[in-house]
Amino acid sequence: MTNNKMVCDLETGICGEAGDETFETIDLNQPQKKITLYYVTDPICSHCWALEPVLRKFEEQYGQYFELHTVMGGLLESWDGFADVANGIGSPSDVAGHWREVGEYSRMPIDGSLWYDNPVHSSFIPSRVYKMVQQQDEQLARTFLRRAREAVFAFNENIADELVLINIVNQLGLDGETIVKEAELTKGHELLNQDFALARSLGVRGFPTIIMVNEENKGVKIVGSRPLEFYLKGLEQILGTTEPLQAQTPASLKNLIEKEGLLFSKEIEVLYELEQNQVGSFIEAGISSDDYELNEILGEAYIVKK
């Protein structure tokens, strides 16, 4: 896909351009997974990072209704010849202020100063690595994407840099050097282009975009970083149910940090429906201090598994 606009609208949460059985008995406690959910995204999409808390809650509590497929969309191929004059983006340094604004608005930490001295020159590079990891393990690919986003947004690392990517993949227990090098060969390009073709066929122009499709191939498209209610309404509509959706109890904080490794305060607040000032006591009650470290970055608390 071609480069999309690097400025995202705070209110719409969009990075880029906005663009016959009649009776069925179902068990809502154990529903069949008949809904396919396409999540079209990009490793450096700031509003995709802002969406993380809501998307986690949606999947934790309502994931029994759908199968999630993450699709790479291609936000930035290269800065060569790129210009977004309407939004004042002519060089990487123009992105820094926008990223900080999204971080402050969403409370998902974003540093952004790498755009001044060590800018990401292409989001296609980490996207291809994602696709190569996905060939080995779907869940590890999702973990890779999360780690890449933590690196670039919160910890200001250039995820188009080979050494950064190798380190992230190594932490997954895979051979980082081999995978990163193979991602730049023909196979990596082909796999990424397949995602781009799928995104085009779904009519996606901006990120994040979530599309839910049922067995009749009818779908609901939700563009931008939206509150949970938008996704619940879309799911109800595509399921064609008048009954309330059955929310599952989210994993305990202890189990979640064991799985995720790192969680920001905002994510804990959204998932467990807490106020910001309740997070500290909630963590202390749910996890032994021997199992985690409490840190702070850019004014936001986060916990890391020891």
Side-chain angles (χ1 to χ4, degrees):
M1 298 181 73
T2 58
N3 291 328
N4 288 279
K5 294 180 180 179
M6 290 294 293
V7 164
C8 309
D9 188 282
L10 286 177
E11 293 187 1
T12 65
I14 300 171
C15 291
E17 298 178 13
D20 293 316
E21 294 179 350
T22 59
F23 182 85
E24 181 183 8
T25 300
I26 60 173
D27 180 359
L28 288 177
N29 292 313
Q30 293 183 334
Q32 294 182 348
K33 290 194 173 184
K34 62 178 183 178
I35 303 300
T36 301
L37 187 152
Y38 297 102
Y39 172 41
V40 188
T41 184
D42 184 273
I44 66 168
C45 164
S46 56
H47 271 296
C48 299
W49 176 240
L51 181 61
E52 290 268 304
V54 168
L55 187 58
R56 173 178 283 107
K57 184 175 180 67
F58 185 50
E59 189 174 9
E60 278 278 323
Q61 297 201 276
Y62 301 95
Q64 70 271 25
Y65 291 101
F66 57 82
E67 292 281 359
L68 187 148
H69 296 274
T70 302
V71 181
M72 295 291 104
L75 185 58
L76 178 70
E77 181 174 11
S78 169
W79 283 100
D80 293 339
F82 176 84
D84 181 3
V85 178
N87 289 302
I89 302 294
S91 65
S93 61
D94 297 326
V95 181
H98 161 67
W99 267 29
R100 285 195 301 271
E101 189 177 23
V102 174
E104 292 169 1
Y105 184 84
S106 67
R107 290 191 44 238
M108 285 294 284
I110 301 179
D111 185 309
S113 59
L114 85 165
W115 288 109
Y116 295 117
D117 51 23
N118 187 25
V120 176
H121 53 278
S122 174
S123 67
F124 286 30
I125 296 170
S127 296
R128 283 191 286 267
V129 174
Y130 169 86
K131 294 302 297 182
M132 296 303 296
V133 174
Q134 189 181 43
Q135 293 299 292
Q136 298 199 29
D137 187 286
E138 182 73 35
Q139 187 54 52
L140 281 181
R142 295 184 63 182
T143 302
F144 166 79
L145 183 58
R146 168 65 186 211
R147 296 289 175 269
R149 283 178 167 153
E150 291 170 358
V152 71
F153 290 114
F155 301 111
N156 216 39
E157 298 180 47
N158 185 343
I159 58 170
D161 182 88
E162 184 177 274
L163 293 179
V164 172
L165 288 169
I166 289 172
N167 181 53
I168 294 172
V169 177
N170 283 341
Q171 290 177 19
L172 303 178
L174 302 176
D175 184 340
E177 185 171 359
T178 297
I179 287 176
V180 171
K181 289 187 181 303
E182 288 181 347
E184 290 308 309
L185 301 178
T186 301
K187 182 65 172 178
H189 288 258
E190 289 177 348
L191 289 170
L192 186 57
N193 285 334
Q194 288 171 13
D195 269 23
F196 292 168
L198 175 57
R200 284 194 298 269
S201 73
L202 294 169
V204 174
R205 300 178 67 191
F207 315 124
T209 293
I210 284 180
I211 298 173
M212 299 178 230
V213 181
N214 64 18
E215 292 175 327
E216 298 176 340
N217 214 29
K218 296 178 180 178
V220 170
K221 181 189 294 185
I222 302 170
V223 183
S225 178
R226 304 294 185 175
L228 180 65
E229 291 73 22
F230 278 68
Y231 305 106
L232 295 180
K233 182 178 179 181
L235 185 56
E236 288 174 347
Q237 181 175 329
I238 203 64
L239 283 169
T241 180
T242 57
E243 297 293 328
L245 297 176
Q246 302 298 303
Q248 293 184 327
T249 301
S252 68
L253 184 59
K254 177 178 172 57
N255 289 340
L256 191 62
I257 192 62
E258 181 66 30
K259 171 188 172 187
E260 298 292 342
L262 184 154
L263 291 167
F264 292 97
S265 178
K266 180 68 173 184
E267 298 178 288
I268 297 171
E269 294 163 37
V270 170
L271 182 59
Y272 299 106
E273 299 179 0
L274 304 171
E275 297 297 328
Q276 186 176 2
N277 60 10
Q278 297 175 315
V279 171
S281 58
F282 183 78
I283 293 172
E284 291 176 2
I287 317 177
S288 167
S289 59
D290 296 331
D291 297 329
Y292 76 94
E293 293 180 2
L294 178 63
N295 298 309
E296 185 175 304
I297 190 167
L298 301 171
E300 291 293 336
Y302 69 98
I303 57 174
V304 182
K305 181 180 70 174
K306 286 186 177 178

mmCIF file with all atom_site columns, all heavy atoms in Angstrom, residues 30-41:
data_model
loop_
_atom_site.group_PDB
_atom_site.id
_atom_site.type_symbol
_atom_site.label_atom_id
_atom_site.label_alt_id
_atom_site.label_comp_id
_atom_site.label_asym_id
_atom_site.label_entity_id
_atom_site.label_seq_id
_atom_site.pdbx_PDB_ins_code
_atom_site.Cartn_x
_atom_site.Cartn_y
_atom_site.Cartn_z
_atom_site.occupancy
_atom_site.B_iso_or_equiv
_atom_site.pdbx_formal_charge
_atom_site.auth_seq_id
_atom_site.auth_comp_id
_atom_site.auth_asym_id
_atom_site.auth_atom_id
_atom_site.pdbx_PDB_model_num
ATOM 1   N N   . GLN A 1 30 ? -21.233 -20.641 25.600 1.00 0.00 ? 30 GLN A N   1
ATOM 2   C CA  . GLN A 1 30 ? -20.159 -21.233 24.822 1.00 0.00 ? 30 GLN A CA  1
ATOM 3   C C   . GLN A 1 30 ? -20.479 -21.078 23.324 1.00 0.00 ? 30 GLN A C   1
ATOM 4   O O   . GLN A 1 30 ? -20.772 -22.045 22.631 1.00 0.00 ? 30 GLN A O   1
ATOM 5   C CB  . GLN A 1 30 ? -19.987 -22.718 25.168 1.00 0.00 ? 30 GLN A CB  1
ATOM 6   C CG  . GLN A 1 30 ? -19.496 -22.941 26.590 1.00 0.00 ? 30 GLN A CG  1
ATOM 7   C CD  . GLN A 1 30 ? -19.279 -24.411 26.877 1.00 0.00 ? 30 GLN A CD  1
ATOM 8   O OE1 . GLN A 1 30 ? -19.904 -25.268 26.270 1.00 0.00 ? 30 GLN A OE1 1
ATOM 9   N NE2 . GLN A 1 30 ? -18.388 -24.702 27.800 1.00 0.00 ? 30 GLN A NE2 1
ATOM 10  N N   . PRO A 1 31 ? -20.442 -19.860 22.841 1.00 0.00 ? 31 PRO A N   1
ATOM 11  C CA  . PRO A 1 31 ? -20.836 -19.618 21.454 1.00 0.00 ? 31 PRO A CA  1
ATOM 12  C C   . PRO A 1 31 ? -19.823 -20.174 20.470 1.00 0.00 ? 31 PRO A C   1
ATOM 13  O O   . PRO A 1 31 ? -18.638 -20.248 20.758 1.00 0.00 ? 31 PRO A O   1
ATOM 14  C CB  . PRO A 1 31 ? -20.880 -18.084 21.371 1.00 0.00 ? 31 PRO A CB  1
ATOM 15  C CG  . PRO A 1 31 ? -19.903 -17.641 22.410 1.00 0.00 ? 31 PRO A CG  1
ATOM 16  C CD  . PRO A 1 31 ? -20.006 -18.633 23.523 1.00 0.00 ? 31 PRO A CD  1
ATOM 17  N N   . GLN A 1 32 ? -20.315 -20.563 19.312 1.00 0.00 ? 32 GLN A N   1
ATOM 18  C CA  . GLN A 1 32 ? -19.412 -20.997 18.264 1.00 0.00 ? 32 GLN A CA  1
ATOM 19  C C   . GLN A 1 32 ? -18.701 -19.776 17.687 1.00 0.00 ? 32 GLN A C   1
ATOM 20  O O   . GLN A 1 32 ? -19.281 -18.707 17.549 1.00 0.00 ? 32 GLN A O   1
ATOM 21  C CB  . GLN A 1 32 ? -20.192 -21.713 17.157 1.00 0.00 ? 32 GLN A CB  1
ATOM 22  C CG  . GLN A 1 32 ? -20.830 -23.022 17.602 1.00 0.00 ? 32 GLN A CG  1
ATOM 23  C CD  . GLN A 1 32 ? -21.546 -23.712 16.454 1.00 0.00 ? 32 GLN A CD  1
ATOM 24  O OE1 . GLN A 1 32 ? -21.750 -23.126 15.398 1.00 0.00 ? 32 GLN A OE1 1
ATOM 25  N NE2 . GLN A 1 32 ? -21.918 -24.957 16.666 1.00 0.00 ? 32 GLN A NE2 1
ATOM 26  N N   . LYS A 1 33 ? -17.428 -19.971 17.344 1.00 0.00 ? 33 LYS A N   1
ATOM 27  C CA  . LYS A 1 33 ? -16.658 -18.865 16.792 1.00 0.00 ? 33 LYS A CA  1
ATOM 28  C C   . LYS A 1 33 ? -16.961 -18.740 15.300 1.00 0.00 ? 33 LYS A C   1
ATOM 29  O O   . LYS A 1 33 ? -16.265 -19.292 14.465 1.00 0.00 ? 33 LYS A O   1
ATOM 30  C CB  . LYS A 1 33 ? -15.175 -19.077 17.034 1.00 0.00 ? 33 LYS A CB  1
ATOM 31  C CG  . LYS A 1 33 ? -14.778 -18.938 18.494 1.00 0.00 ? 33 LYS A CG  1
ATOM 32  C CD  . LYS A 1 33 ? -13.287 -18.808 18.644 1.00 0.00 ? 33 LYS A CD  1
ATOM 33  C CE  . LYS A 1 33 ? -12.918 -18.504 20.088 1.00 0.00 ? 33 LYS A CE  1
ATOM 34  N NZ  . LYS A 1 33 ? -11.485 -18.282 20.281 1.00 0.00 ? 33 LYS A NZ  1
ATOM 35  N N   . LYS A 1 34 ? -18.003 -18.012 14.994 1.00 0.00 ? 34 LYS A N   1
ATOM 36  C CA  . LYS A 1 34 ? -18.404 -17.872 13.595 1.00 0.00 ? 34 LYS A CA  1
ATOM 37  C C   . LYS A 1 34 ? -18.105 -16.482 13.049 1.00 0.00 ? 34 LYS A C   1
ATOM 38  O O   . LYS A 1 34 ? -18.344 -16.204 11.886 1.00 0.00 ? 34 LYS A O   1
ATOM 39  C CB  . LYS A 1 34 ? -19.891 -18.164 13.440 1.00 0.00 ? 34 LYS A CB  1
ATOM 40  C CG  . LYS A 1 34 ? -20.810 -17.217 14.203 1.00 0.00 ? 34 LYS A CG  1
ATOM 41  C CD  . LYS A 1 34 ? -22.272 -17.553 13.939 1.00 0.00 ? 34 LYS A CD  1
ATOM 42  C CE  . LYS A 1 34 ? -23.208 -16.565 14.639 1.00 0.00 ? 34 LYS A CE  1
ATOM 43  N NZ  . LYS A 1 34 ? -24.621 -16.863 14.334 1.00 0.00 ? 34 LYS A NZ  1
ATOM 44  N N   . ILE A 1 35 ? -17.565 -15.596 13.881 1.00 0.00 ? 35 ILE A N   1
ATOM 45  C CA  . ILE A 1 35 ? -17.237 -14.241 13.459 1.00 0.00 ? 35 ILE A CA  1
ATOM 46  C C   . ILE A 1 35 ? -15.727 -14.140 13.241 1.00 0.00 ? 35 ILE A C   1
ATOM 47  O O   . ILE A 1 35 ? -14.944 -14.531 14.104 1.00 0.00 ? 35 ILE A O   1
ATOM 48  C CB  . ILE A 1 35 ? -17.683 -13.206 14.503 1.00 0.00 ? 35 ILE A CB  1
ATOM 49  C CG1 . ILE A 1 35 ? -19.175 -13.324 14.791 1.00 0.00 ? 35 ILE A CG1 1
ATOM 50  C CG2 . ILE A 1 35 ? -17.322 -11.793 14.037 1.00 0.00 ? 35 ILE A CG2 1
ATOM 51  C CD1 . ILE A 1 35 ? -20.059 -13.103 13.586 1.00 0.00 ? 35 ILE A CD1 1
ATOM 52  N N   . THR A 1 36 ? -15.347 -13.627 12.085 1.00 0.00 ? 36 THR A N   1
ATOM 53  C CA  . THR A 1 36 ? -13.940 -13.333 11.831 1.00 0.00 ? 36 THR A CA  1
ATOM 54  C C   . THR A 1 36 ? -13.719 -11.846 12.047 1.00 0.00 ? 36 THR A C   1
ATOM 55  O O   . THR A 1 36 ? -14.441 -11.018 11.484 1.00 0.00 ? 36 THR A O   1
ATOM 56  C CB  . THR A 1 36 ? -13.553 -13.705 10.390 1.00 0.00 ? 36 THR A CB  1
ATOM 57  O OG1 . THR A 1 36 ? -13.791 -15.107 10.187 1.00 0.00 ? 36 THR A OG1 1
ATOM 58  C CG2 . THR A 1 36 ? -12.092 -13.405 10.131 1.00 0.00 ? 36 THR A CG2 1
ATOM 59  N N   . LEU A 1 37 ? -12.752 -11.508 12.885 1.00 0.00 ? 37 LEU A N   1
ATOM 60  C CA  . LEU A 1 37 ? -12.436 -10.108 13.165 1.00 0.00 ? 37 LEU A CA  1
ATOM 61  C C   . LEU A 1 37 ? -11.072 -9.796  12.570 1.00 0.00 ? 37 LEU A C   1
ATOM 62  O O   . LEU A 1 37 ? -10.068 -10.395 12.960 1.00 0.00 ? 37 LEU A O   1
ATOM 63  C CB  . LEU A 1 37 ? -12.444 -9.846  14.674 1.00 0.00 ? 37 LEU A CB  1
ATOM 64  C CG  . LEU A 1 37 ? -12.286 -8.384  15.107 1.00 0.00 ? 37 LEU A CG  1
ATOM 65  C CD1 . LEU A 1 37 ? -12.985 -8.149  16.453 1.00 0.00 ? 37 LEU A CD1 1
ATOM 66  C CD2 . LEU A 1 37 ? -10.819 -7.972  15.229 1.00 0.00 ? 37 LEU A CD2 1
ATOM 67  N N   . TYR A 1 38 ? -11.046 -8.891  11.609 1.00 0.00 ? 38 TYR A N   1
ATOM 68  C CA  . TYR A 1 38 ? -9.795  -8.424  11.011 1.00 0.00 ? 38 TYR A CA  1
ATOM 69  C C   . TYR A 1 38 ? -9.381  -7.118  11.692 1.00 0.00 ? 38 TYR A C   1
ATOM 70  O O   . TYR A 1 38 ? -10.139 -6.151  11.704 1.00 0.00 ? 38 TYR A O   1
ATOM 71  C CB  . TYR A 1 38 ? -9.967  -8.189  9.514  1.00 0.00 ? 38 TYR A CB  1
ATOM 72  C CG  . TYR A 1 38 ? -10.297 -9.423  8.717  1.00 0.00 ? 38 TYR A CG  1
ATOM 73  C CD1 . TYR A 1 38 ? -11.606 -9.671  8.296  1.00 0.00 ? 38 TYR A CD1 1
ATOM 74  C CD2 . TYR A 1 38 ? -9.311  -10.351 8.378  1.00 0.00 ? 38 TYR A CD2 1
ATOM 75  C CE1 . TYR A 1 38 ? -11.924 -10.806 7.562  1.00 0.00 ? 38 TYR A CE1 1
ATOM 76  C CE2 . TYR A 1 38 ? -9.620  -11.487 7.646  1.00 0.00 ? 38 TYR A CE2 1
ATOM 77  C CZ  . TYR A 1 38 ? -10.925 -11.709 7.246  1.00 0.00 ? 38 TYR A CZ  1
ATOM 78  O OH  . TYR A 1 38 ? -11.235 -12.842 6.523  1.00 0.00 ? 38 TYR A OH  1
ATOM 79  N N   . TYR A 1 39 ? -8.183  -7.109  12.238 1.00 0.00 ? 39 TYR A N   1
ATOM 80  C CA  . TYR A 1 39 ? -7.629  -5.912  12.863 1.00 0.00 ? 39 TYR A CA  1
ATOM 81  C C   . TYR A 1 39 ? -6.496  -5.421  11.966 1.00 0.00 ? 39 TYR A C   1
ATOM 82  O O   . TYR A 1 39 ? -5.428  -6.007  11.928 1.00 0.00 ? 39 TYR A O   1
ATOM 83  C CB  . TYR A 1 39 ? -7.117  -6.249  14.260 1.00 0.00 ? 39 TYR A CB  1
ATOM 84  C CG  . TYR A 1 39 ? -6.341  -5.149  14.951 1.00 0.00 ? 39 TYR A CG  1
ATOM 85  C CD1 . TYR A 1 39 ? -6.751  -3.814  14.882 1.00 0.00 ? 39 TYR A CD1 1
ATOM 86  C CD2 . TYR A 1 39 ? -5.199  -5.448  15.700 1.00 0.00 ? 39 TYR A CD2 1
ATOM 87  C CE1 . TYR A 1 39 ? -6.039  -2.818  15.529 1.00 0.00 ? 39 TYR A CE1 1
ATOM 88  C CE2 . TYR A 1 39 ? -4.488  -4.463  16.356 1.00 0.00 ? 39 TYR A CE2 1
ATOM 89  C CZ  . TYR A 1 39 ? -4.906  -3.156  16.269 1.00 0.00 ? 39 TYR A CZ  1
ATOM 90  O OH  . TYR A 1 39 ? -4.200  -2.157  16.908 1.00 0.00 ? 39 TYR A OH  1
ATOM 91  N N   . VAL A 1 40 ? -6.766  -4.356  11.217 1.00 0.00 ? 40 VAL A N   1
ATOM 92  C CA  . VAL A 1 40 ? -5.784  -3.826  10.270 1.00 0.00 ? 40 VAL A CA  1
ATOM 93  C C   . VAL A 1 40 ? -5.013  -2.713  10.963 1.00 0.00 ? 40 VAL A C   1
ATOM 94  O O   . VAL A 1 40 ? -5.600  -1.734  11.454 1.00 0.00 ? 40 VAL A O   1
ATOM 95  C CB  . VAL A 1 40 ? -6.457  -3.324  8.983  1.00 0.00 ? 40 VAL A CB  1
ATOM 96  C CG1 . VAL A 1 40 ? -5.389  -2.955  7.948  1.00 0.00 ? 40 VAL A CG1 1
ATOM 97  C CG2 . VAL A 1 40 ? -7.379  -4.394  8.402  1.00 0.00 ? 40 VAL A CG2 1
ATOM 98  N N   . THR A 1 41 ? -3.696  -2.849  10.989 1.00 0.00 ? 41 THR A N   1
ATOM 99  C CA  . THR A 1 41 ? -2.885  -2.014  11.854 1.00 0.00 ? 41 THR A CA  1
ATOM 100 C C   . THR A 1 41 ? -1.500  -1.821  11.257 1.00 0.00 ? 41 THR A C   1
ATOM 101 O O   . THR A 1 41 ? -1.230  -2.225  10.126 1.00 0.00 ? 41 THR A O   1
ATOM 102 C CB  . THR A 1 41 ? -2.803  -2.667  13.253 1.00 0.00 ? 41 THR A CB  1
ATOM 103 O OG1 . THR A 1 41 ? -2.094  -1.809  14.144 1.00 0.00 ? 41 THR A OG1 1
ATOM 104 C CG2 . THR A 1 41 ? -2.120  -4.030  13.210 1.00 0.00 ? 41 THR A CG2 1
#
